[in-house]
Amino acid sequence: MSPSQGTAAPNEHETVGAYALGILDDAEATAFEVHLAGCDWCANQLDELSGMEPMLAALADLPGSGSTPVIGESLSARPSPRLVEKLVDEVSEQRARKRRRGFYLVAAAAALIIGGPIAVSAAGGGETAAPAKPLAASAQTTFDRMTRKVTGTDPATGVTATVGMDGKGWGTSAVLELKGVKGPLKCSMVVISRSGERQTIGSWSVPAQGYGIAGAASETARKPLYIGGGTALSPDQIDKFEIVTFDGKKLVDVDA
């Protein structure tokens, strides 16, 4: 008996079995699909029941009373292509929306953790969000701010090196200012501890025109080279710094 004849409509959760067997009419099936699109419990039940359809269809084909074929037709029926497509589209889209929302939230959180606050200008409004995070200071700027510096010049090579140091919780931040070096060369900065341990904390190439060459025609060649590095050694554990080429030639050393 239909609801219009006074019988209460079935609970939507209890309709999943009838829907799986394809015995709902169009109106009932459509109403259930609307409910199913937002009900994970019914979706899980439908997945389980769908595996029973071949068995039910086989039972319906067993010989018996004259009503068996009619029952078989009902039990082995399938939802119409329109209903199946609508069901799949609605359930898939809802689950996809949930996954996308979760992904966007994780991505936004990661962007905030990695990048920090960024400046955002509203189109036409002129309002800004948090101030932009400043760019990392250049090696030269960091070197200029350092108060602890040591210098050495090698009379044979004519190379001068000045190393600025800042003690950190993790060790020592160091910036090298290199002058009077001509290339082409490939060089490294090596820190040597008081116990004799050696650590390479930076490497670079020197073009033919060089760096920090007084009176050079090129402005680039007249400017010193600044290279930053770091070591796990604390400042009081460092004995000296060495500037060496890749083939082992020492250009200059600097006592710490």
Side-chain angles (χ1 to χ4, degrees), residues 2 4 10 24 27 36 49 51 66 70 92 99 104 107 128 152 170 180 192 225:
S2 67
S4 61
L24 298 178
L36 182 64
L49 290 173
V70 177
S92 298
R99 287 194 297 269
Y104 293 151
T128 59
W170 47 263
I192 303 173
L225 174 67

Side-chain angles (χ1 to χ4, degrees), residues 1-255:
M1 184 178 296
S2 67
S4 61
Q5 292 175 299
T7 301
N11 185 296
E12 289 172 315
H13 294 302
E14 298 174 357
T15 311
V16 63
Y19 183 86
L21 296 174
I23 59 177
L24 298 178
D25 61 29
D26 283 353
E28 292 170 335
T30 300
F32 177 72
E33 288 164 6
V34 173
H35 166 75
L36 182 64
C39 181
D40 287 340
W41 186 90
C42 282
N44 292 332
Q45 292 299 309
L46 185 62
D47 288 341
E48 294 178 7
L49 290 173
S50 63
M52 298 177 62
E53 291 181 62
M55 180 184 69
L56 295 174
L59 290 174
D61 290 335
L62 291 174
S65 66
S67 63
T68 299
V70 177
I71 297 173
E73 290 174 4
S74 297
L75 292 177
S76 62
R78 300 289 193 276
S80 67
R82 179 186 63 80
L83 299 181
V84 173
E85 291 175 4
K86 189 175 191 307
L87 170 65
V88 172
D89 289 346
E90 289 182 357
V91 174
S92 298
E93 177 59 25
Q94 184 187 23
R95 291 177 179 175
R97 282 198 301 268
K98 290 180 180 178
R99 287 194 297 269
R100 286 196 297 269
R101 284 198 299 268
F103 173 78
Y104 293 151
L105 289 174
V106 171
L112 288 175
I113 292 171
I114 296 172
I118 57 175
V120 180
S121 177
E127 297 180 357
T128 59
K133 188 176 183 179
L135 296 175
S138 68
Q140 181 178 357
T141 301
T142 302
F143 176 85
D144 291 341
R145 292 173 181 170
M146 289 176 163
T147 57
R148 182 172 182 175
K149 296 174 183 176
V150 288
T151 301
T153 299
D154 189 293
T157 64
V159 176
T160 297
T162 301
V163 181
M165 292 179 286
D166 272 342
K168 303 290 184 181
W170 47 263
T172 302
S173 172
V175 179
L176 166 69
E177 179 190 67
L178 191 63
K179 299 178 181 179
V181 58
K182 292 184 179 181
L185 293 173
K186 291 183 178 180
C187 306
S188 298
M189 177 165 60
V190 179
V191 60
I192 303 173
S193 73
R194 298 190 183 280
S195 63
E197 179 185 359
R198 298 174 66 91
Q199 297 178 9
T200 299
I201 61 172
S203 62
W204 61 92
S205 294
V206 179
Q209 64 185 7
Y211 292 108
I213 306 299
S218 167
E219 181 181 358
T220 301
R222 293 194 297 271
K223 291 182 177 179
L225 174 67
Y226 294 90
I227 295 289
T231 173
L233 298 171
S234 62
D236 60 356
Q237 293 176 316
I238 298 173
D239 180 48
K240 64 179 178 179
F241 297 89
E242 284 187 354
I243 310 304
V244 297
T245 64
F246 277 19
D247 58 9
K249 178 182 178 181
K250 184 173 70 173
L251 297 179
V252 62
D253 59 17
V254 181
D255 291 333

